[in-house]
């Protein structure tokens, strides 16, 4: 009699545990910024684009809720600035962003999109005055957990910052700023 042998199928490996992206987090960033500004007087175009560039440091804090692979959250961020106009030294600084985030987690990697509202201060060197611009912002990023609590990432953010110049010096003048920033981020989740 010959023995019949049946192939042995190895047990399936357990699925890897998904990383936890939920909860509070905070961190710091190094930001490369470029602002493209057009000037208007009484609604008519008068000049631009004027290019402002620079790098700076910033910080952020937020909260995420994770449901399966989907991550929803909110974040506040501050970047000191400045981005500088080389012609006369005018600057943009004190960028403040309030963002809603939606992401998709693939274990230790999360890709996400953001939408929100941003403000910044424009500092005029010729008049020593500061004005503010604000508007809609949007972008995308990716974060990677390097430990269970520490993450690094990169984010691209576009801010549509519009505002009026100091009307004492520049009556009827306004600006539109397409501000773009790439942030290298590192943070800690709680």
């Amino acid at each position: 009699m010959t023995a019949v042998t049946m192939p042995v199928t190895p047990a399936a490996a357990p699925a890897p545990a998904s990383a936890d992206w939920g909860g509070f987090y905070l961190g710091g960033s190094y930001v490369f910024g470029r602002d493209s500004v057009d000037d208007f007087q009484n609604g008519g175009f008068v000049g631009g684009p004027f290019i402002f560039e620079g790098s700076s440091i910033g910080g952020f804090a937020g909260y995420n809720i994770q449901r399966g692979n989907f991550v929803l959250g909110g974040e506040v961020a501050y970047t000191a600035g400045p981005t500088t106009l080389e012609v006369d030294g005018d600057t943009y600084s004190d960028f403040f962003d309030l963002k809603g985030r939606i992401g998709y987690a693939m274990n230790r990697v999360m890709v996400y999109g953001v939408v929100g509202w941003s403000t910044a201060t424009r500092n005029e060197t010729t008049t020593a005055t500061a004005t503010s611009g604000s508007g809609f912002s949007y972008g995308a990023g990716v974060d990677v957990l390097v430990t269970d609590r520490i993450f690094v990432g990169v984010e691209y953010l576009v801010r549509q910052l519009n505002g009026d110049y100091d009307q004492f010096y520049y009556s009827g003048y306004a600006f539109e700023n397409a501000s773009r920033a790439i942030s290298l981020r590192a943070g800690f989740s709680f």
Side-chain angles (χ1 to χ4, degrees):
M1 228 175 151
T2 13
V4 176
T5 57
M6 299 294 286
V8 177
T9 306
S18 181
D20 181 12
W21 289 93
F24 287 100
Y25 64 91
L26 61 87
S29 57
Y30 187 75
V31 182
F32 303 92
R34 179 181 172 101
D35 298 297
S36 177
V37 180
D38 292 324
D39 287 342
F40 297 85
Q41 183 178 24
N42 299 320
F45 178 78
V46 294
F50 302 103
I51 304 299
F52 293 67
E53 293 182 314
S55 59
S56 183
I57 58 170
F60 57 88
Y63 185 81
N64 289 326
I65 298 171
Q66 184 170 355
R67 297 290 182 256
N69 291 71
F70 292 97
V71 180
L72 300 172
E75 181 177 291
V76 294
Y78 173 79
T79 303
T83 57
T84 304
L85 179 63
E86 287 190 24
V87 175
D88 62 7
D90 290 358
T91 62
Y92 275 92
S93 62
D94 298 321
F95 294 89
F96 179 78
D97 307 299
L98 179 60
K99 301 179 276 192
R101 300 182 356 145
I102 183 166
Y104 188 80
M106 297 163 284
N107 201 6
R108 300 184 78 77
V109 176
M110 180 179 62
V111 294
Y112 62 89
V114 297
V115 294
W117 191 258
S118 298
T119 65
T121 301
R122 179 166 180 169
N123 303 291
E124 291 283 331
T125 56
T126 55
T127 61
T129 59
T131 57
S132 64
S134 60
F136 181 68
S137 58
Y138 58 92
V142 60
D143 285 342
V144 177
L145 283 169
V146 293
T147 72
D148 287 341
R149 296 287 174 215
I150 297 173
F151 63 91
V152 296
V154 63
E155 181 179 276
Y156 177 72
L157 186 66
V158 177
R159 303 175 183 104
Q160 301 295 332
L161 301 172
N162 303 322
D164 295 322
Y165 285 105
D166 184 310
Q167 296 301 297
F168 180 78
Y169 295 102
Y170 300 106
S171 180
Y173 274 82
F175 60 87
E176 294 181 0
N177 177 0
S179 174
R180 292 167 175 79
I182 296 175
S183 300
L184 303 177
R185 301 159 44 101
F188 182 82
S189 59
F190 298 94

